[in-house]
Amino acid sequence: MHEMGVAMQIIEIATASIPDEMKGSRVERVNLKVGKLAAIVPDSLRFCFQIASQDTPLAGAELVIEELPVLASCNDCRFQWTINEPVFVCQKCNSGSIQLLSGRELNIESIELAEKDEGNVDKDL
Amino acid sequence: MSSPGSGKTTTLEKTLARIMPDVTSAVIVGDICTTHDADRLAQTGAPVVQVNTDEFGGDCHLAAHVIEKAVTNIDLEAIDLLIVENIGNLVCPAEFDIGEDARVVVLSVTEGEDKPVKYPLMFRECDAALLNKIDLLPYLDYDKKAAVAYIHQIHPDMPVFEISAKTEDGFDPWINWLKSKVDQKIN
């Protein structure tokens, strides 16, 4: 629903993170991590990114989305499991005291810039 | 936060009437269009800042930068509690951190028992739930136990306050919870 706004912010953040000496380089790839419990639809985000990146330094860049599972850990029995349905209770001891180890991410991990005749350069964020 | 029409504004009107002036409060209210809610809330005497997301692209939620701009219209030193009434939507407002100390979701008994499992992130992210419009229970085939069980399946131990914003039934425990949160923050 809000993927266009998120796409525009990704473009803004990625554009600002291009080092001065590499301004003007083409951005080949933006690597993103998105948790399954983030309210983000990857297909919509890719679609919006493609449109919103036109006429920016990210035009034509590929948005690579790694989806992270909702991983939970029980504070009582230390059991770890992947949550695949809306039940946030320990599968082993039934405790409600759990923490989420992953699943809420919406992180730009890196952008990859094309360098003239020198292949790709990773820029960690 | 809540879906549209679950009673956020009425709950806030009645809540503000009970906590003011002991707890000096201000409200930021988000709507895609209209100032109806802000007009209603202003009657309570609390300073109200209306945010229409049209200006920010017709967004489905309030984002942190919108709140940052809205708070410049509020004397933060003069208040104990800042309430943000988010856009009526059970999906997007749950996703975006706006710098709040506590989050509360309103679910009304006309919405169906299984909403918590259909919108798990909202119920996972909130610190308390208000089960509103309980004055309508005699007229509905609503399984209140099932609704509370669904909430606790998503968020075990989350306080659930059964209220009627219309009749103010059940308000005392909710008001006490809210006041204790303010006390915790101030002290």
Side-chain angles (χ1 to χ4, degrees):
Chain A
M1 205 178 285
H2 43 249
E3 278 76 3
M4 183 53 93
V6 172
M8 288 164 71
Q9 289 215 323
I10 290 170
I11 292 161
E12 202 177 298
I13 293 165
T15 303
S17 68
I18 299 172
D20 282 346
E21 64 274 18
M22 299 189 79
K23 291 267 187 263
S25 306
R26 196 167 60 82
V27 178
E28 296 217 308
R29 210 164 281 116
V30 176
N31 296 306
L32 202 66
K33 280 189 178 169
V34 177
K36 289 267 195 192
L37 203 57
I40 297 290
V41 181
D43 277 348
S44 301
L45 186 57
R46 273 188 286 262
F47 175 73
C48 293
F49 178 82
Q50 196 188 345
I51 292 168
S53 61
Q54 287 169 11
D55 302 321
T56 77
L58 281 83
E62 184 190 1
L63 185 66
V64 180
I65 300 175
E66 183 188 345
E67 286 191 79
L68 298 179
V70 183
L71 198 62
S73 166
C74 176
N75 292 329
D76 290 327
C77 76
R78 302 288 158 200
F79 181 64
Q80 287 190 11
W81 75 105
T82 302
I83 297 181
N84 289 314
E85 52 182 357
V87 180
F88 291 76
V89 175
C90 177
Q91 286 187 344
K92 207 164 186 182
C93 76
N94 227 22
S95 166
S97 174
I98 67 166
Q99 54 176 315
L100 297 184
L101 304 176
S102 73
R104 292 286 289 120
E105 295 80 0
L106 177 51
N107 302 338
I108 304 171
E109 291 295 318
S110 62
I111 63 173
E112 297 175 27
L113 302 171
E115 220 175 16
K116 284 170 203 157
D117 307 323
E118 287 179 342
N120 293 346
V121 174
D122 266 341
K123 162 78 178 127
D124 282 328
L125 292 180
Chain B
M1 296 186 282
S2 81
S3 57
S6 63
K8 287 187 297 301
T9 308
T10 306
T11 301
L12 276 182
E13 283 177 294
K14 300 293 178 73
T15 298
L16 288 166
R18 281 174 176 246
I19 61 175
M20 300 258 287
D22 292 352
V23 181
T24 316
S25 309
V27 184
I28 295 173
V29 53
D31 269 308
I32 292 174
C33 283
T34 80
T35 59
H36 298 169
D37 288 359
D39 298 342
R40 281 169 59 191
L41 290 166
Q43 308 263 328
T44 63
V48 179
V49 177
Q50 166 86 37
V51 177
N52 282 129
T53 59
D54 264 353
E55 297 165 16
F56 303 93
D59 243 336
C60 44
H61 62 276
L62 294 179
H65 67 275
V66 176
I67 300 299
E68 190 181 25
K69 193 174 164 190
V71 292
T72 59
N73 298 305
I74 296 169
D75 182 0
L76 293 175
E77 294 302 317
I79 59 169
D80 304 314
L81 173 65
L82 175 61
I83 298 172
V84 178
E85 180 181 338
N86 216 309
I87 312 285
N89 178 342
L90 274 180
V91 184
C92 315
E95 168 63 25
F96 298 92
D97 189 350
I98 54 169
E100 63 277 66
D101 291 299
R103 295 172 141 196
V104 179
V105 57
V106 183
L107 178 69
S108 62
V109 297
T110 53
E111 291 173 70
E113 299 90 347
D114 59 351
K115 288 296 174 285
V117 285
K118 286 187 171 172
Y119 302 92
L121 181 61
M122 177 60 76
F123 290 84
R124 189 66 208 163
E125 286 291 308
C126 282
D127 301 285
L130 298 176
L131 190 60
N132 192 23
K133 306 190 187 179
I134 56 165
D135 53 299
L136 292 177
L137 283 173
Y139 312 103
L140 303 170
D141 296 322
Y142 190 78
D143 188 343
K144 193 175 71 179
K145 267 191 184 160
V148 174
Y150 277 134
I151 292 173
H152 285 145
Q153 176 181 319
I154 300 300
H155 196 152
D157 306 327
M158 179 158 77
V160 179
F161 302 106
E162 297 172 16
I163 63 161
S164 163
K166 183 180 177 183
T167 64
E168 296 184 44
D169 273 350
F171 258 56
D172 286 345
W174 149 241
I175 297 292
N176 290 340
W177 182 88
L178 181 62
K179 283 184 168 174
S180 75
K181 285 282 169 188
V182 175
D183 285 345
Q184 274 173 30
K185 180 71 180 178
I186 291 174
N187 302 317

